Amino acid sequence: MSKKNFSGGIDSLFQNSKIESNITIEEKIEDKTSSYSRTTIIVNNETYEKVKAIAYWQRKSVKDIIERAFDLVLSEIPNDKLIEIINFYKQNNS
């Protein structure tokens, strides 16, 4: 069995975790600069469990999965029609 080299001191044991924590902080800062709205939605319990399972499986947040689902629904509507719908909505809900 070979001997371990502990000449780096105790700080060398925690060096990798410091790098990982810096990455996490940078990712959180990026999220705060994006424009998001917080809302409450009502979802069937079975649907929500499926979304949470998919998020876990893909190692993503529930927010990311729901945002992707919204994007898929919005992609079904042609852009010119979507602009018309948004303008109509803004005129009638101001």
Side-chain angles (χ1 to χ4, degrees), residues 44-57 65:
N44 179 295
N45 287 335
E46 291 178 22
T47 302
Y48 185 57
E49 284 297 315
K50 290 175 186 176
V51 169
K52 288 194 320 184
I54 291 168
Y56 174 80
W57 186 259
I65 302 301

Side-chain angles (χ1 to χ4, degrees), residues 8-18:
I10 193 133
D11 290 337
S12 66
L13 295 173
F14 300 107
Q15 195 170 20
N16 290 339
S17 62
K18 288 180 184 177

Side-chain angles (χ1 to χ4, degrees), residues 3 5 11 14 20-21 23-24 26 28 31 35 39-40 46 51-52 56 58-59 66-67 72 74 80 87 90:
K3 287 188 171 183
N5 183 2
D11 290 337
F14 300 107
E20 291 173 10
S21 65
I23 292 170
T24 305
E26 289 173 8
K28 289 180 182 178
D31 279 347
S35 177
T39 190
T40 302
E46 291 178 22
V51 169
K52 288 194 320 184
Y56 174 80
Q58 294 182 358
R59 303 297 189 255
I66 291 173
E67 189 169 7
L72 287 171
L74 293 172
D80 55 338
N87 288 333
K90 286 180 179 179

